């Protein structure tokens, strides 16, 4: 009795080992798109003793249902991608075309030959049919890199119907992408597209997505968009710039606020201000804001922004400071032969105008009065007037007037010494004649002496004010000849 029991146990164990050699390899679930096709990857193993029965008579049978005994034979719906010869190689991959939502469910496979090999595999595949295609997946799920790093994004889209496999597009399209049809671990197909680019500060906060476009058998398209991925890119300060308030030209003495801003991740930690002189830079302040009092010598400024990754600098910022004109001390007169040349130099912002006045009237260019002008460093002006010296022309009344929209100033040029020389020569020329007349008549000599005293008193009255006196003179003369180009009156 015990021996018979041992034999029965041995037979059962042996049967279990042999039965374990029958295996089928199917995916548990396949996502399919209604109106497209679905391909079921399938392969199997059998017991060694049945290997000889795999021949041309073997066929693949598919049934749909919860179990084989009650399942519906749907073999006609499948195109057995594996031919009879493939079954001989234990490959049962099959395709169902124009799959519909009603076709969803569990499917069983049976290999059946006209011999002793007839076997139903009880592991099934579940086909999940949807009107919309499955969403692709985007990896990595989070992107955090530093500027300049190489980035590789991968988008995977299921391809349940390899003959109508999806195409993948990227938004935004940054550069080259490579698309490949690959096998998953369960042998289902997937399209993988890889986008490679170099991270830039311009990508920070940008949202990336991949779109898989599927085609149905009637050539209609259905698209599916993955979950979007936001890029977090760390970068040093970029686009560092200075804003000025009040903007535009300001008058000298006005308080001006300069603000420094910069785009950076992480945020700027330190702002530094420099005075940008032509030959060197001077650190003058730290902080995002700088307040100054505008002057004509304010110069240019720049700011530097800094975070953990580096620094960024603004361009030089100049403030347009406006001020009333000033006549330079280098303005003077020189004499050559019978002419006097007077030069008047002025600076101001906006650029000033220069006008000459003689005897209270404005002077313009003429045959006997030459006027020329030249710029000085952009905001200055120099004017030179050359005047012939007729004896009756009183140069003690020569003024230089400078003006712009902010204000004006005037200076009387010192030509007094030239006047004295002119009249001195005039006296020397008459002296021999006076001596001759004195020899002839004593009375004439007395008369001449009285005349010379009167003439000297008049000369003293014509002496001009000093150069520092910039006030306007009250001039009543209006008898200067037009041939000297004299027009208009001195401004009051």
């Amino acid at each position: 009795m015990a021996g018979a029991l041992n034999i029965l146990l041995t037979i059962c164990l042996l049967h279990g080992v042999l039965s374990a050699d029958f295996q089928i390899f199917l995916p548990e679930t396949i996502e399919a798109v209604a109106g497209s096709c679905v391909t079921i990857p399938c392969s199997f193993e059998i017991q060694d003793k049945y290997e000889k029965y795999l021949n041309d008579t073997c066929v693949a049978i598919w049934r749909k249902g919860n179990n084989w005994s009650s399942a519906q034979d749907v073999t006609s719906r499948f195109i057995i991608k594996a031919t009879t010869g493939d079954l001989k190689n234990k490959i049962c991959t099959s395709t169902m075309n124009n799959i519909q939502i009603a076709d969803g469910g569990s499917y069983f496979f049976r290999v059946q030959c006209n011999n002793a090999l007839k076997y139903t595999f009880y592991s099934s595949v579940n086909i999940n049919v949807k009107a919309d295609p499955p969403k692709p997946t985007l990896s990595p799920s989070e992107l955090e890199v530093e500027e300049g790093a190489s980035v590789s994004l991968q988008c995977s889209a299921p391809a349940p119907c390899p003959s109508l496999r999806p195409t993948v597009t990227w938004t935004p399209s940054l550069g080259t992408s490579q698309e490949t049809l690959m096998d998953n671990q369960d042998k289902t197909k997937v399209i993988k597209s890889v986008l490679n680019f170099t991270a830039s500060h311009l990508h920070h906060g940008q949202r990336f997505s991949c779109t898989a476009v599927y085609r149905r058998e009637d050539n209609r398209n259905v698209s599916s968009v993955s979950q979007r991925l936001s890029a977090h890119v760390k970068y040093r300060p970029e686009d560092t710039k200075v804003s000025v308030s009040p903007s535009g030209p300001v008058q000298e003495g006005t308080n001006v606020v300069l603000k420094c801003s910069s785009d950076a991740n992480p945020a700027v930690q330190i702002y530094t201000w420099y005075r940008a002189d032509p030959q060197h830079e001077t650190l003058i302040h730290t902080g995002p804001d700088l307040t100054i009092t505008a002057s004509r010598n304010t110069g240019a400024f720049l700011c530097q922004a800094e975070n953990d990754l580096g620094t960024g600098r603004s361009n030089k910022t100049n403030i347009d400071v406006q001020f009333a004109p000033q006549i330079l001390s280098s303005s003077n007169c020189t004499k050559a032969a019978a002419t006097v040349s007077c030069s008047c130099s002025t600076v101001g912002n906006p650029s000033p105008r220069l006008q000459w006045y003689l005897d209270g009237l404005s002077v313009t260019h003429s045959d006997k009065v030459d006027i020329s002008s030249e710029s000085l460093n952009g905001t200055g002006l120099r004017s030179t007037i050359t005047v012939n010296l007729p004896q009756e022309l009183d140069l003690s009344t020569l003024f230089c007037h400078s003006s712009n929209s902010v204000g004006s100033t005037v200076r009387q040029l010192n030509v007094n010494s030239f006047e004295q020389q002119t009249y001195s020569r005039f006296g020397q020329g008459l002296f021999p004649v006076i001596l001759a007349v004195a020899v002839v008549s004593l009375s004439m000599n007395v008369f001449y002496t009285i005349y010379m005293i009167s003439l000297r008193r008049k000369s003293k009255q014509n002496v001009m004010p000093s150069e520092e006196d910039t006030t306007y003179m009250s001039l009543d003369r209006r008898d200067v000849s037009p041939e000297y180009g004299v027009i208009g009156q001195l401004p009051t």
Side-chain angles (χ1 to χ4, degrees), residues 428-478:
Q428 291 174 6
L430 293 179
F431 188 70
V433 177
I434 295 172
L435 291 178
V437 173
V439 174
V440 176
S441 174
L442 179 61
S443 60
M444 291 288 291
N445 187 29
V446 173
F447 177 78
Y448 178 75
T449 302
I450 296 172
Y451 172 76
M452 289 299 293
I453 292 173
S454 175
L455 181 61
R456 288 179 180 176
R457 288 179 179 176
K458 184 177 181 180
S459 296
K460 289 182 180 180
Q461 293 176 356
N462 287 337
V463 176
M464 292 181 60
S466 64
E467 182 179 351
E468 288 74 15
D469 185 4
T470 59
T471 59
Y472 290 108
M473 299 178 64
S474 177
L475 303 173
D476 296 323
R477 290 184 56 188
R478 298 292 184 269

Side-chain angles (χ1 to χ4, degrees), residues 216-281:
R216 292 191 172 105
E217 291 185 0
D218 58 6
N219 287 325
R220 288 186 298 136
N221 289 344
V222 178
S223 62
S224 174
V225 181
S226 74
Q227 296 292 335
R228 292 179 178 178
L229 168 68
S230 294
H232 186 77
V233 182
K234 294 181 178 181
Y235 54 95
R236 69 181 188 177
E238 299 282 349
D239 194 25
T240 304
K241 55 189 176 183
V242 175
S243 60
V244 181
S245 178
S247 60
V250 296
Q251 289 197 15
E252 192 170 25
T254 302
N255 285 337
V256 178
V257 179
L258 293 84
K259 293 182 177 291
C260 187
S261 63
S262 186
D263 179 22
N265 185 34
V268 174
Q269 299 165 332
I270 301 174
Y271 289 98
T272 309
W273 290 92
Y274 294 88
R275 186 185 300 278
D277 297 323
Q279 301 300 326
H280 65 280
E281 297 174 355

Side-chain angles (χ1 to χ4, degrees), residues 395-437:
L395 291 181
S396 67
T397 63
L398 183 63
F399 287 85
C400 171
H401 179 254
S402 176
S403 64
N404 62 11
S405 60
V406 181
S408 65
T409 186
V410 66
R411 174 172 291 183
Q412 184 176 11
L413 273 296
N414 186 9
V415 295
N416 193 35
S417 60
F418 302 135
E419 290 295 299
Q420 291 174 349
Q421 293 176 11
T422 301
Y423 287 112
S424 175
R425 290 194 184 96
F426 177 72
Q428 291 174 6
L430 293 179
F431 188 70
V433 177
I434 295 172
L435 291 178
V437 173

Side-chain angles (χ1 to χ4, degrees), residues 112-129:
Q112 184 167 310
C113 306
N114 290 335
N115 49 46
L117 179 56
K118 297 177 178 65
Y119 190 84
T120 301
F121 296 91
Y122 289 96
S123 294
S124 64
V125 56
N126 181 55
I127 300 179
N128 189 6
V129 185

